[in-house]
Amino acid sequence: MTVLAAPDGTVTACSDGAARLFGRTAPAAVGARLADLFGPACAEPLAAALKQAAAGRPWRGALPLDGGALEVSCDPMAAGSGRTLVALTVAPPWADGLELLNEAGRRIGSTLDLHRTAAEIVGVTVPRFADAGAIYVLEALLADGRPAPPAAGPGASAAVVRRLAVAFAEDDPSSWAREFPVNEVIVYPPGTPYARCVSTARMVEFGSDAIPDTILHRTPETAAGLLDHVSLLAVPLVARGRVLGFAVFSRKRGRLPFGPADTALAAELASRAATCVDNACLYRREHRTVAALQAGLKPGRVAAPAGLEIAHRYVPAGGDVGGDWYDVVPLPDERVAVVIGDSVGHGVTAAAAMGQLRIAAHTLARGGLPPAQVLTRLDAIAQGLDAAQFATCLCLVCDPVTMRCELACAGHPPPLLALPGGTARHFAVPHGLPLGVSDPAHPAEYEQVTGTIPAGATLAFYTDGLVESRMRHVDEGIARLASALVASQSASLDRTADGVLALLADQQGHDDIALLLVRATGPGTG
């Protein structure tokens, strides 16, 4: 935490960490006098330190503050035009401060899960720094994903927050956890320390006499225990200039109350925690957006023409949403087109590409284009998407009367054909470049082949999430899928689909999975 000041103590620049120590924003600290910011107790030694540093001699020592002291270094810094400024650096604010900050850097933000991030924050601070701690995030940020508003200033409205994590340094913290459950939504009225912390974006120190009635209205035992917490801090979680919520730290009677060094440490911890909470909120918002986009673009009820039975399953990954998609398009003369694809990557980019390609494929197939031409047109569309975006795709057109199929492939895993006799094999498909890979001046050419689905056989289309993983090669995964298809054969195609996913359950959770089964129920030939 560093401050640049003129020799007379006027602040010329200020880091965010140092500004939080003063209880104001960095721009608000510029132009103020250091003696006013630190308090009158340090005025005389601070003036001597600045004078020594301005003369070219670094100064190291402790500045006395009301209720404590801060380790500070003052170093001369040339500012051009013969001027000298003083760089005042505040050392870690207590003996174990640097160690605690290092531990916080290692432990906080290990994932993008919001609740886990909040639990990591209180896990670092309790009981080493405080006897109890909790993390609250604005409910509006969680409910609809809206960015947190800028600090509104004094006199703002109530604070509506959700408790994401809580920790108590007690022999039996379970009873406290029951009284203060995670995910509880609380409304703190204006004027309470918590509402003031949110509205001003400043740390608020208070004692047990200022604990809001909304908290004290608990069981008598819990209320009595709360009143034993005599020193409390409400520390705002501020990221990118916006208040996300606040952290609460408290110390019980018999332990030294929070002093200036502790509030400086709390401000630094909150700053690091806010960045991690902000990242988790951004990820949560993007994930919800992508999931909604993908859900809206997936086909709902799939209508199969006479002579065919169709079952389809989509299993999202546990983390980032991918770009898997499929479609079944009715065509004239009772024919049907089946399209399945996978946009590379995860997140908004993959979902957006998936949406554009799926709609384009549906339109092209609906217009009567044969599979090879559908892929050629899709390739041209993919080249106009993000430069790093490409996709695999497979397109098939089937006549359920003859079971004759025409198909073309753009880098997609080949379909599998499960025969009634209990065997499975690859369904012949030509190899082609993925969509969007070729040079626009030399577009990819896709070969189209013809095949026939035997009566009673099941044709399986799938994305690589079902057959590929870090633990096994894709060829091994396809062989496992073939075995699962044979083992799951049932009179009900839906049961077959469920059986395949159950047998390959170890594939789920790592990547999105799409599975589409087509069974010939008509008089097809062998």
Side-chain angles (χ1 to χ4, degrees):
M1 297 182 285
T2 303
V3 180
L4 288 182
D8 65 355
T10 301
V11 176
T12 60
C14 183
S15 70
D16 289 339
R20 285 188 295 272
L21 173 62
F22 305 140
R24 61 184 67 193
T25 64
V30 173
R33 300 291 295 271
L34 281 172
D36 296 332
L37 296 174
F38 281 120
C42 74
E44 186 174 340
L46 176 60
L50 292 171
K51 182 178 179 179
Q52 178 176 317
R57 302 189 308 275
W59 182 90
R60 306 282 187 275
L63 288 180
L65 305 178
D66 295 333
L70 280 182
E71 290 293 328
V72 171
S73 63
C74 294
D75 297 286
M77 177 174 291
S81 303
R83 292 192 311 127
T84 299
L85 296 179
V86 177
L88 185 146
T89 303
V90 181
W94 52 293
D96 294 330
L98 183 58
E99 181 183 348
L100 186 62
L101 290 177
N102 288 337
E103 182 178 349
R106 291 192 303 269
R107 291 178 56 183
I108 299 176
S110 61
T111 71
L112 288 173
D113 180 83
L114 192 55
H115 284 80
R116 181 167 177 178
T117 297
E120 290 167 346
I121 297 169
V122 295
V124 167
T125 54
V126 177
R128 291 174 59 184
F129 177 71
D131 293 311
I135 300 297
Y136 297 83
V137 171
L138 296 178
E139 178 63 12
L141 187 63
L142 301 177
D144 55 18
R146 290 181 299 169
S157 59
V160 183
V161 293
R162 180 184 294 266
R163 185 185 301 111
L164 295 187
V166 63
F168 298 92
E170 301 286 336
D171 293 334
D172 181 18
S174 59
S175 60
W176 290 84
R178 285 193 297 271
E179 291 294 335
F180 300 94
V182 170
N183 283 325
E184 181 182 22
V185 177
I186 313 102
V187 179
Y188 290 116
T192 58
Y194 306 131
R196 286 191 285 123
C197 175
V198 170
S199 65
T200 64
R202 293 188 179 184
M203 187 185 309
V204 178
E205 299 182 55
F206 59 103
S208 57
D209 57 332
I211 295 177
D213 292 341
T214 52
I215 296 180
L216 289 177
H217 291 165
R218 305 281 177 173
T219 63
E221 296 81 4
T222 302
L226 281 175
L227 292 175
D228 198 36
H229 289 247
V230 295
S231 181
L232 297 93
L233 294 176
V235 191
L237 301 176
V238 182
R240 296 181 294 133
R242 294 177 178 271
V243 179
L244 309 179
F246 57 88
V248 177
F249 303 115
S250 65
R251 287 180 178 176
K252 297 174 64 175
R253 200 183 313 273
R255 185 172 182 175
L256 286 176
F258 293 113
D262 298 312
T263 58
L265 179 59
E268 186 63 27
L269 286 168
S271 173
R272 301 188 181 197
T275 299
C276 296
V277 169
D278 188 43
N279 290 338
C281 287
L282 289 172
Y283 171 78
R284 173 190 175 99
R285 186 157 59 246
E286 178 179 307
H287 187 273
R288 289 169 63 178
T289 299
V290 174
L293 173 62
Q294 192 178 57
L297 289 171
K298 289 202 305 289
R301 180 177 177 272
V302 172
L308 290 180
E309 184 182 358
I310 296 177
H312 56 101
R313 298 290 185 272
Y314 173 78
V315 182
D320 289 340
V321 177
D324 295 17
W325 53 280
Y326 57 87
D327 203 355
V328 177
V329 185
L331 301 177
D333 303 326
E334 295 299 320
R335 293 178 304 141
V336 66
V338 175
V339 187
I340 188 167
D342 185 0
S343 299
V344 68
H346 298 86
V348 173
T349 302
M354 174 270 291
Q356 294 177 74
L357 292 175
R358 179 187 173 272
I359 293 172
H362 184 102
T363 303
L364 294 169
R366 185 75 173 176
L369 292 179
Q373 290 189 33
V374 169
L375 295 186
T376 299
R377 301 285 183 89
L378 288 178
D379 179 58
I381 294 172
Q383 291 174 20
L385 301 178
D386 186 277
Q389 192 67 39
F390 63 92
T392 65
C393 185
L394 191 147
C395 181
L396 171 143
V397 173
C398 178
D399 183 342
V401 176
T402 63
M403 297 305 167
R404 184 175 180 272
C405 301
E406 296 175 332
L407 68 160
C409 179
H412 200 80
L416 291 174
L417 185 66
L419 300 171
T423 61
R425 60 176 172 82
H426 287 274
F427 197 70
V429 62
H431 295 288
L433 289 176
L435 304 176
V437 172
S438 62
D439 185 342
H442 304 87
E445 296 182 359
Y446 296 100
E447 181 184 356
Q448 182 171 301
V449 298
T450 301
T452 302
I453 305 177
T458 300
L459 190 58
F461 302 88
Y462 53 94
T463 53
D464 60 4
L466 191 59
V467 295
E468 191 173 22
S469 72
R470 297 176 181 176
M471 305 301 296
R472 63 178 57 89
H473 189 269
V474 63
D475 291 338
E476 180 185 351
I478 293 175
R480 293 178 73 231
L481 173 58
S483 299
L485 273 171
V486 172
S488 303
Q489 286 283 17
S490 167
S492 167
L493 198 58
D494 281 317
R495 291 180 183 173
T496 300
D498 292 336
V500 169
L501 294 179
L503 290 174
L504 302 180
D506 59 332
Q507 289 287 140
Q508 299 176 28
H510 307 293
D511 193 6
D512 288 5
I513 292 173
L515 174 66
L516 193 147
L517 303 181
V518 178
R519 176 174 292 172
T521 60
T525 64

